[in-house]
Amino acid sequence: MTHSQFRALQDWVGQLQRILQWEAEHDFVNSRGHSGYFAEVVAQGLAEAPLTTLRNSDTCAELRDGFSAYSTWPLQQRRQWVVRTRQWLHHQRLHYQVQATAPSPDRSPPGAQPPLAQVEGIGPRLAAKLMGAGLRTVEDLLRHYPRDYIDYSRLLRIRALRPGETVTVVGTVRRSHAFVSSRNHNLAILELQLQDSTGRLRVTRFYAGRRFTSPRWLQRQRRLFPPGATVAASGLVKAGPYGPSLKDPLLEVLDSGAVTTTASSGRRILPVYPPTDGLSAESLRRAVQAVLPMADRQQDHLTEPWRQRFGVIPLAEAFTTIHQPPSEAARQAARHRLVFDEFLDLQLGLLRRRQRQRAQAMADLPMAPMAGTSDLVTAFLALLPFQLTSAQERVLQQVRKDLQVTAPMGRLVQGDVGSGKTVVAIIALLEVIAAGGQGALMAPTEVLAAQHYHKLCTWMVQLHVPVALLTGSTPERQRQAVLRDLETGAVKLVVGTHALLEEPVTFFRLGLVVIDEQHRFGVHQRSRLLNKGEAPHLLTMTATPIPRTLALSIHGDLEVSQIDELPPGRQPVTTTILTPGEREQAYGAIRTVASHGERAYVILPLVDESDKLKLRSAVQEHQRLARTVFPNLNVVLLHGRLTSGSKQDVLEAFVSGKAQVLVSTTVVEVGMDVPDATVMVIEHAERFGLAQLHQLRGRIGRGQAPSRCFLVSESQQAVARQRLEVLTRSRDGFEIAEMDLRFRGPGQVLGTRQSGLPDLALASLTSDGTVLEKARDAAKLLLKEDPQLRTVPQLRARLDAQNKRLASASRLN
C-alpha cells in the first residue's frame, strides 16, 4: 500500500469515526445533519470505502446492512452497533498502517527517507507506537511541532514565585489526586502537589466532559503522575490560602534524569510536544531528535530566489530550529517560515480554484455582458417603499461590475443583521434574468426558504417573473412541475434548500446562484449547485460576519464586500445579562410588550430534556410558560422536528399576532422578520457563541419600537460572563465576530461541519493574521509570474497531493 492510499484510508476512517462519535455523544438518536440521517450517512460512507478489499469484505457489508435498519432498533442494539463499527474501523486502520510503512522491496528513489523502524535511535518497537499516533514517516515527525518550550535559563524555584507571573516550574510529585467534582458530575479535577528544594506548589487542572469522568480515565491520570515523578508545569501563578498555586497549567512528565540530561548536554531549551496516547514525552522527544539530522534531505518546495523574495529561511533550517531553538529570535524565524508555508499552500489552493473557474467560464458563459441597470431592476426599485443605503449602492456597483465581465462572479457579501443583503441579491438576480438567464436562491432551512419565497412572490408577481419553491417538503406532483419548468426555462427564479442539490434538478440556463447564510453550506455543496449551469455567477451572503483572517482562509477564492450600514430608523437593542433568580424581570417585559400588541421570543438550546445536560428544553419550557407564567397569552412552540405544515402554522400565528410568545430553538436564528417582535429571552446564553447570540438578537429591533434582549446565564465562570458582556456593550457584528474568534477559535466559530476549514498544524488564525496577508500576496505574485508553477515543481506536487486528499476526505462531509 502506498502512503497516498493510506492517507486516503486515514481520512475516510477519521470522517466516519467523527460521525460515529457525534452519534454516541447524542444518545444514539439517529441524528439528522445536512447530509441526511446518521444511519444513512454511515451506510453510504461504508459503501464508499477507498479500498476495494474493504468495500467487498463481509464485515463491511454486514455493518452497512445493519445501519439500514438502525432507526427501528432499541437503544441498546444501536449502541452496540456503533461500538462494533468503531472497533472495526480502528482495526482496519492499524492493519493497513503496517502495510503502508513496510519497506518496499523495490529500490527507493534518490532522497527517499528510510522507514522509521530503520532509523537509528527509534527501532521497530517505538516505530510501531509512533504509527499508532499517526506518525508514519520522517516528515511526519519533523512536522510534529512542539506546543511549548521549557527554558531552563528562566526556570524559577517555587519560593520565588509571585502571583500574576506566567512561569515554568519543574518539581517532584509529592501527592497526586484525580477525582470527579461533587458539584458537577461532568467535571474531572487533577490535583498535584509539586516540591522542589525551596518549597511546595499546588497544581490544579480541570477537564470538562463526560469522557474525563470515567474511572478508567481517572486511573490513567494517577498512573501518569505518580508520586516521585518529575513534572514540568507552565501557567499563571495565583495566590491562595495555602500559598501559590497554578490553575490549568500545561503539564508534562519528564522521565527520570531528564532535567540533568538536558542541563548537561548544554541545551537550555527543552521542547514540549502535544501529549500522545501510548507514548511518553521522553520517547517522543527521542524520536524527533533521531530524525533531525535528516532534515536537510527534505526537498525545499521554494527555490532560493523565491525564498529571498518572500523573506523566509530554508525549510531544513526551519525544521531543525523549531525543535532545537538556540534563541527566541531563531525560533520566531523558523516558526514564521513554517506558518508561511501552511498559509501559502492554503492561499494557492484557493486562488488556483478561482483561476480554473475563470478559465472555464471564458468560453462557456451563456450570457452576454450586461451594461447599466435593466428595465426589470428599475421597475423593482420603484416597488420598494425605501431608498437603498449608500452601503447597499456601493456593494451593488461592485456586483454589477462583476456581472459585466465574461468571467463568472465569485463574491461574498457580509452585512450585519437587517443591513439589506437580500435586496442586493434580488437586484443581482433580476439583472441576470433580464439578460436571459435563470437564478437560484438556496437557504439552509425550510423556514428561511419559505420566507424568502413569500417575500419574493409579492414583488415578482408585479414584475411578471415566474418564481418557484423547492424543498424537501414540496409535494411530489408540485415537485415534478417545478423540475419540468426549470428544465424548460418557464421558471426564471427558484428558491430552495438542499433539495436544489439533488440530481433531478436541471436548469435551462442557470446564470446566478445566490447562497444565503453561506457558512451553513460546505464548499462542495456550493460546487454541486454551480455545476448545474455552465459556470454561472456566484453570490454568497452571510449575516454572521467572518473576521478577515477566516474569510481569507475559507473564502479566499471569493471577493468580499461589506454592507456596513443599517437602514435609517432601526432602533438599537438593549441587552441585559440576568441570573436565573432575575428571570422575572424578563417575564415582566414580555407581559408589557404583549399588552401593547408586540411579541416576544424565548430561545432554548435543546428541543427535549436531556439526561446528560441539565438544561431547560424548548418542549418543557413551552409547557411551563403556557400554563404557569403566561396563562393569559398565546404561547406557541417552534423547533426543527415539527412538520413543514406545523412550522408554517406556528409562524403565521406569531407573525399575525394571534400568538404573543414564540418558544423556539435556534431555527429562528436566520431569516425571521417580524417587526413587532421587541423582546427576546435567551436561556443558557453561555452555551451559545457570541456571533450566534448576535444573530438571534437580530430577530428583534426590526421595527420602530425600542427592543430588549435578556441573556439568562447560570454560569459562575468569569470567562463566560466576560464573553456575554461583549454583547451588552457592542452592536457591531464585525467586532463581535472578532471577539468570538479570540474566545472560541475558528473551529467553533464556523461549526464543526464547515468543510472548508483549513488543517493548520502550527499557524493560528487568531494571531497570525499578518503572515496570512503576506502569504496571500505571495500566492498572487507567484501565480501572476508563473501560473503553472513550473519554477516550483515541488510546491506544485504538494498542492496536487493536497487536492487529492481533500477530494477523498470531502465525500462524507
Side-chain angles (χ1 to χ4, degrees):
M1 169 181 274
T2 65
H3 286 302
S4 61
Q5 287 176 318
F6 183 67
R7 285 190 182 277
L9 177 74
Q10 282 274 82
D11 292 334
W12 174 75
V13 170
Q15 288 277 2
L16 275 179
Q17 289 283 29
R18 283 190 286 275
I19 296 170
L20 290 159
Q21 182 177 347
W22 172 270
E23 175 73 358
E25 290 175 350
H26 290 76
D27 295 330
F28 308 94
V29 295
N30 199 20
S31 315
R32 183 170 186 175
H34 293 312
S35 304
Y37 284 99
F38 158 77
E40 299 168 357
V41 173
V42 175
Q44 179 66 23
L46 291 170
E48 295 178 351
L51 299 177
T52 307
T53 51
L54 277 178
R55 283 197 301 273
N56 296 338
S57 70
D58 294 339
T59 305
C60 186
E62 182 186 355
L63 291 171
R64 191 168 61 241
D65 293 343
F67 279 108
S68 65
Y70 181 86
S71 60
T72 64
W73 289 346
L75 175 63
Q76 186 60 28
Q77 191 174 358
R78 294 185 186 189
R79 179 185 288 111
Q80 291 172 351
W81 206 255
V82 168
V83 170
R84 183 183 171 193
T85 306
R86 296 195 70 181
Q87 289 174 341
W88 180 77
L89 288 168
H90 177 67
H91 290 314
Q92 297 312 306
R93 182 176 68 85
L94 292 180
H95 171 72
Y96 285 104
Q97 268 181 350
V98 177
Q99 293 188 23
T101 54
S104 171
D106 302 325
R107 175 184 287 183
S108 299
Q113 305 293 347
L116 291 181
Q118 296 179 10
V119 175
E120 185 178 353
I122 294 181
R125 183 175 297 180
L126 180 53
K129 291 182 178 180
L130 292 168
M131 281 192 292
L135 302 170
R136 301 176 294 276
T137 66
V138 169
E139 186 176 357
D140 287 341
L141 274 174
L142 291 173
R143 293 189 180 277
H144 191 71
Y145 306 122
R147 71 174 186 191
D148 198 6
Y149 301 86
I150 298 174
D151 188 344
Y152 284 96
S153 67
R154 297 185 177 183
L155 277 182
L156 288 177
R157 294 297 187 184
I158 291 175
R159 186 173 59 190
L161 299 182
R162 297 289 180 268
E165 295 179 337
T166 299
V167 300
T168 296
V169 176
V170 173
T172 303
V173 176
R174 182 179 174 86
R175 281 206 303 268
S176 173
H177 187 31
F179 58 96
V180 177
S181 168
S182 59
R183 304 174 70 179
N184 182 350
H185 297 307
N186 284 326
L187 181 68
I189 302 173
L190 172 67
E191 284 188 353
L192 304 177
Q193 187 181 76
L194 299 184
Q195 177 178 332
D196 68 7
S197 60
T198 66
R200 296 176 184 174
L201 174 71
R202 197 175 93 176
V203 173
T204 308
R205 282 221 65 179
F206 300 95
Y207 300 88
R210 190 175 64 176
R211 68 190 180 97
F212 298 116
T213 59
S214 68
R216 184 177 177 183
W217 187 88
L218 294 172
Q219 185 62 34
R220 190 172 69 186
Q221 297 310 298
R222 299 185 191 107
R223 288 198 304 268
L224 188 61
F225 300 97
T230 303
V231 173
S234 303
L236 181 67
V237 181
K238 294 190 176 182
Y242 305 105
S245 65
L246 293 183
K247 294 289 179 66
D248 268 346
L250 293 172
L251 296 175
E252 185 182 16
V253 178
L254 304 176
D255 286 3
S256 179
V259 178
T260 307
T261 302
T262 303
S264 63
S265 66
R267 284 196 289 120
R268 296 183 300 108
I269 300 177
L270 183 73
V272 179
Y273 294 96
T276 306
D277 286 343
L279 277 170
S280 70
E282 187 60 29
S283 296
L284 185 56
R285 193 178 296 112
R286 188 174 76 242
V288 173
Q289 296 298 322
V291 300
L292 277 185
M294 303 177 192
D296 58 357
R297 300 189 207 170
Q298 298 292 317
Q299 292 180 311
D300 199 327
H301 46 275
L302 290 180
T303 58
E304 177 61 26
W306 283 115
R307 289 201 299 269
Q308 289 183 359
R309 294 182 72 174
F310 297 154
V312 295
I313 64 176
L315 183 61
E317 182 183 341
F319 279 145
T320 303
T321 305
I322 200 73
H323 293 286
Q324 290 183 341
S327 67
E328 178 60 19
R331 187 192 72 82
Q332 290 285 5
R335 186 181 184 279
H336 180 273
R337 166 65 203 265
L338 297 169
V339 168
F340 178 84
D341 277 1
E342 291 184 3
F343 282 144
L344 182 65
D345 287 353
L346 173 67
Q347 294 302 317
L348 281 171
L350 292 168
L351 292 173
R352 287 176 88 199
R353 182 196 302 165
R354 184 69 179 143
Q355 194 180 56
R356 288 192 296 269
Q357 291 171 348
R358 287 181 176 276
Q360 176 194 14
M362 296 299 286
D364 297 337
L365 194 69
M367 297 181 301
M370 293 167 286
T373 303
S374 66
D375 293 340
L376 196 57
V377 170
T378 302
F380 171 70
L381 292 173
L383 295 176
L384 295 178
F386 52 81
Q387 295 288 321
L388 298 183
T389 65
S390 58
Q392 284 175 305
E393 291 281 9
R394 183 184 70 250
V395 172
L396 200 51
Q397 289 305 315
Q398 294 170 344
V399 171
R400 281 203 178 102
K401 185 177 179 181
D402 288 345
L403 294 175
Q404 289 169 5
V405 297
T406 53
M409 171 176 67
R411 186 166 290 276
L412 166 65
V413 176
Q414 293 195 111
D416 223 332
V417 176
S419 60
K421 300 177 297 300
T422 306
V423 169
V424 171
I426 292 171
I427 293 173
L429 286 164
L430 290 175
E431 293 282 24
V432 168
I433 290 169
Q438 290 171 292
L441 171 56
M442 186 165 70
T445 66
E446 289 193 4
V447 170
L448 181 54
Q451 186 156 322
H452 278 316
Y453 174 69
H454 293 305
K455 187 179 291 186
L456 282 169
C457 283
T458 61
W459 290 319
M460 297 302 129
V461 168
Q462 300 175 71
L463 298 174
H464 308 290
V465 174
V467 60
L469 176 67
L470 186 65
T471 70
S473 301
T474 303
E476 185 58 30
R477 179 177 295 180
Q478 185 179 338
R479 175 190 299 273
Q480 292 303 322
V482 171
L483 293 176
R484 195 165 48 246
D485 289 344
L486 281 174
E487 191 171 8
T488 61
V491 165
K492 299 296 182 185
L493 176 58
V494 63
V495 182
T497 56
H498 294 79
L500 293 176
L501 304 176
E502 296 172 2
E503 288 302 325
V505 180
T506 56
F507 292 84
F508 176 71
R509 184 170 288 175
L510 180 60
L512 172 62
V513 170
V514 175
I515 299 180
D516 197 6
E517 293 305 319
Q518 55 76 35
H519 65 286
R520 302 287 191 92
F521 297 95
V523 173
H524 299 280
Q525 290 173 319
R526 189 175 80 188
S527 299
R528 279 179 65 183
L529 187 52
L530 289 171
N531 288 338
K532 292 180 180 291
E534 296 183 37
H537 296 291
L538 171 67
L539 182 67
T540 68
M541 304 186 294
T542 180
T544 305
I546 304 173
R548 178 166 174 78
T549 52
L550 274 184
L552 287 178
S553 301
I554 308 303
H555 304 290
D557 56 336
L558 304 176
E559 300 298 327
V560 180
S561 297
Q562 293 186 0
I563 302 180
D564 50 8
E565 178 184 358
L566 289 176
R570 281 293 173 92
Q571 294 294 319
V573 177
T574 303
T575 303
T576 307
I577 303 173
L578 301 180
T579 64
E582 299 169 323
R583 200 177 269 119
E584 187 55 41
Q585 183 179 333
Y587 294 158
I590 291 177
R591 294 188 188 99
T592 300
V593 300
S595 67
H596 298 157
E598 297 166 10
R599 293 182 275 300
Y601 295 95
V602 178
I603 308 297
L604 296 109
L606 299 179
V607 176
D608 293 315
E609 188 177 6
S610 168
D611 292 332
K612 294 190 302 180
L613 302 173
K614 303 301 180 184
L615 306 177
R616 291 169 177 252
S617 70
V619 173
Q620 265 185 319
E621 194 69 354
H622 170 250
Q623 294 172 350
R624 190 182 73 86
L625 293 177
R627 292 173 183 171
T628 61
V629 181
F630 305 120
N632 300 322
L633 300 179
N634 185 10
V635 183
V636 291
L637 173 66
L638 179 69
H639 56 74
R641 297 183 192 170
L642 295 177
T643 64
S644 182
S646 298
K647 289 178 187 173
Q648 203 56 46
D649 292 342
V650 169
L651 290 173
E652 287 178 2
F654 188 64
V655 171
S656 66
K658 293 178 184 177
Q660 294 83 36
V661 181
L662 176 64
V663 179
S664 175
T665 57
T666 55
V667 294
V668 299
E669 181 184 344
V670 294
M672 287 290 291
D673 188 6
V674 183
D676 290 332
T678 56
V679 169
M680 175 172 284
V681 180
I682 303 177
E683 296 281 354
H684 303 291
E686 73 280 359
R687 300 192 65 87
F688 299 91
L690 293 182
Q692 189 175 30
L693 288 171
H694 180 62
Q695 271 274 53
L696 288 166
R697 182 173 62 176
R699 299 309 107 204
I700 58 177
R702 305 176 79 87
Q704 300 301 314
S707 298
R708 299 185 68 185
C709 178
F710 297 94
L711 306 177
V712 183
S713 173
E714 298 181 1
S715 177
Q716 302 298 316
Q717 294 182 353
V719 174
R721 180 86 184 187
Q722 187 182 357
R723 283 180 60 245
L724 296 179
E725 285 175 351
V726 172
L727 289 163
T728 65
R729 62 176 183 264
S730 177
R731 293 188 295 273
D732 184 339
F734 294 96
E735 178 190 353
I736 290 169
E738 289 284 357
M739 294 300 295
D740 208 14
L741 181 64
R742 291 183 194 174
F743 277 116
R744 298 197 301 155
Q748 290 296 318
V749 169
L750 289 173
T752 54
R753 292 189 59 86
Q754 175 62 39
S755 64
L757 187 65
D759 184 13
L760 303 174
L762 192 61
S764 167
L765 292 175
T766 57
S767 58
D768 290 320
T770 304
V771 187
L772 174 59
E773 299 272 5
K774 181 178 178 181
R776 184 166 178 82
D777 291 342
K780 287 181 176 178
L781 177 64
L782 195 54
L783 288 175
K784 180 181 178 182
E785 297 191 12
D786 183 9
Q788 303 304 317
L789 302 180
R790 291 192 177 93
T791 60
V792 279
Q794 293 295 329
L795 180 57
R796 186 176 61 197
R798 275 165 57 92
L799 292 172
D800 291 342
Q802 176 181 286
N803 287 337
K804 288 179 181 177
R805 285 201 307 272
L806 290 175
S808 172
S810 68
R811 287 181 299 188
L812 292 178
N813 199 328

